[in-house]
Each structure stands twice: as structure tokens, then as C-alpha cells.
Amino acid sequence: MKSILVIGLGNFGRLVAKNIRELGHEVMAVDKNEERVNEMLSVVNDAVIGDSTNEDFLKSLGINNFDVCIVTIGKDFQSSLETTSLLKELGGKLVVSRANRDVQAKFLLKNGADEVVYPEKQMAEWVATCYTSSHIFDYIKLDENHAIYEVDIPDYWIGQTVGKIEIRKKYGINILATKKNGVMNMNIGPEVVFSSNMTLLVLGEHKMVQKCFHI
């Protein structure tokens, strides 16, 4: 179990804090808006009203006691930047900050952020990828060249085995799991037979996945 500090309780921050708590970790949530803080009192372990750009306030939280500090401030970039910098100065072990644009990410990384997340950009990529193809059901980008896709099985594969199709040999694509009726099977051997209403979770280069599945 880790101790996590989440600063900024807008829509994204609330979801981050809620999901981290549901995973069984200890969460302290911070925002200068009293109403937002009160809404989170029953969700997280502790919620505090305060200005995260105030050094004395942050010191009072004991920053070096947290395993991860996550800055989810979205609309006030100046506050996000100041908060990020102070967290690192006060001993933040791992500082993760939210960015809306590449230029923001550059400033955050130069001023204390260990990592940067792009919730809007990442969601935009997911929507664009999944809803412009009738064959893609889910998508997780790993880097500029690779991703994990949940894809529909081509009709001519049905009734054939994984070994016979040989997509790893032909396209360099790894089948991670099959999914049918909401049930996932990760025991994928060459004898597994493709069937109707089945989808695949595959890992590979974008261009090769597109070629293999005619996306």
C-alpha cells in the first residue's frame, strides 16, 4: 500500500483520487475550494483545504512522507507549475503533474515534475482511434510506435487456430488474450481456435496491426 497526495480536485483530480483509494492505497486530497474538499471526505482517507502554492501549507502536509505526489490542477497552469516546483523542493519522491499541452509539459519537467500526464490528449487519441474503425474496441498507446489493441477477428480466421494464422511470424504481433462474452482468456497457445463473437488483445507496431487487421 502506498501513500498518495492528490492536489487539485476538479473532475480529473476527483477521479484519480477515487480510483487510487479503490485500489487500496492511502490518499490525501487537497484543494483550496472548500466545497470540493468536503465532497471528497467520504471518498479518501483525508481531505484538506489549502493553497498548494503556499510553501508553509505544503510543509505542514509532510511531503516527504508521500510515495507519490500527483498535481491534477487543470485550469490554472501557474499554480500547477508553482505547486510542482515546491513539491520537489520539499522532498517529493515522485511528482506527477498534469499538462494540457506540450509546452506545459516542458516547463513542468524543467521545474520539478518527474513525469507528466495528458488526460485530454490521451483520451482524444483513444476516441479518434476507436471510433474511426469498426474493428477496434479498445486501445492503449505504449509509445510512438507500439500499442495494445482489442480488435475484431477477421471472418476468415474463424475456425482456424492461432498456430495456423501465425500473426507473430508474419507481422510481429503478439496475442495477449482472447475475450468472449466478457470473459478474458490469457492462456494462448497455438492450439487455441478462433471463434465468432471473440475479440483479441494484441500488442504490436501500429502499422503492422493496421495491415494485419485491415484497420
Side-chain angles (χ1 to χ4, degrees):
M1 181 174 65
K2 292 187 175 182
S3 180
I4 313 294
L5 175 65
V6 177
I7 299 178
L9 298 177
N11 292 332
F12 178 62
R14 290 197 296 272
L15 286 171
V16 169
K18 179 177 181 291
N19 280 289
I20 291 173
R21 183 67 191 113
E22 288 176 350
L23 289 171
H25 301 289
E26 291 186 352
V27 181
M28 175 181 282
V30 173
D31 199 287
K32 59 185 178 182
N33 183 298
E34 182 177 359
E35 183 178 352
R36 289 180 175 180
V37 170
N38 288 336
E39 289 176 354
M40 294 299 292
L41 284 171
S42 62
V43 178
V44 297
N45 300 90
D46 196 7
V48 181
I49 304 167
D51 181 358
S52 61
T53 65
N54 183 300
E55 184 174 354
D56 290 333
F57 169 70
L58 286 184
K59 282 182 178 178
S60 71
L61 301 179
I63 299 305
N64 60 348
N65 293 321
F66 293 98
D67 296 298
V68 186
C69 299
I70 306 176
V71 183
T72 57
I73 299 170
K75 294 183 179 180
D76 186 349
F77 180 66
Q78 183 64 32
S79 292
S80 177
L81 189 63
E82 291 180 23
T83 299
T84 298
S85 180
L86 284 171
L87 287 170
K88 206 61 185 177
E89 289 176 10
L90 295 173
K93 298 171 186 173
L94 175 61
V95 179
V96 180
S97 299
R98 172 185 181 173
N100 295 325
R101 301 192 300 276
D102 288 340
V103 67
Q104 292 182 349
K106 290 179 181 178
F107 278 111
L108 289 166
L109 290 168
K110 286 182 178 180
N111 286 275
D114 296 296
E115 296 182 21
V116 172
V117 294
Y118 292 84
E120 287 85 1
K121 181 179 180 181
Q122 290 162 350
M123 179 53 69
E125 288 183 356
W126 185 90
V127 170
T129 300
C130 292
Y131 288 99
T132 56
S133 172
S134 58
H135 301 292
I136 299 176
F137 300 98
D138 205 352
Y139 164 79
I140 303 173
K141 182 178 179 180
L142 302 178
D143 60 27
E144 291 304 314
N145 297 313
H146 299 83
I148 295 173
Y149 293 84
E150 181 181 354
V151 294
D152 209 356
I153 293 176
D155 290 339
Y156 68 92
W157 287 18
I158 295 174
Q160 299 192 59
T161 64
V162 170
K164 186 173 182 179
I165 296 298
E166 294 186 323
I167 66 170
R168 183 174 184 179
K169 180 179 179 181
K170 295 177 181 176
Y171 302 98
I173 296 171
N174 292 303
I175 300 176
L176 304 179
T178 62
K179 187 175 178 183
K180 187 170 183 178
N181 300 324
V183 178
M184 190 174 295
N185 174 27
M186 300 184 69
N187 297 316
I188 307 301
E191 75 285 349
V192 171
V193 179
F194 296 116
S195 61
S196 59
N197 301 319
M198 178 186 284
T199 59
L200 298 180
L201 273 73
V202 298
L203 166 62
E205 289 187 63
H206 302 300
K207 61 182 181 181
M208 299 309 289
V209 172
Q210 291 170 349
K211 182 178 181 180
C212 177
F213 295 95
H214 307 290
I215 297 170

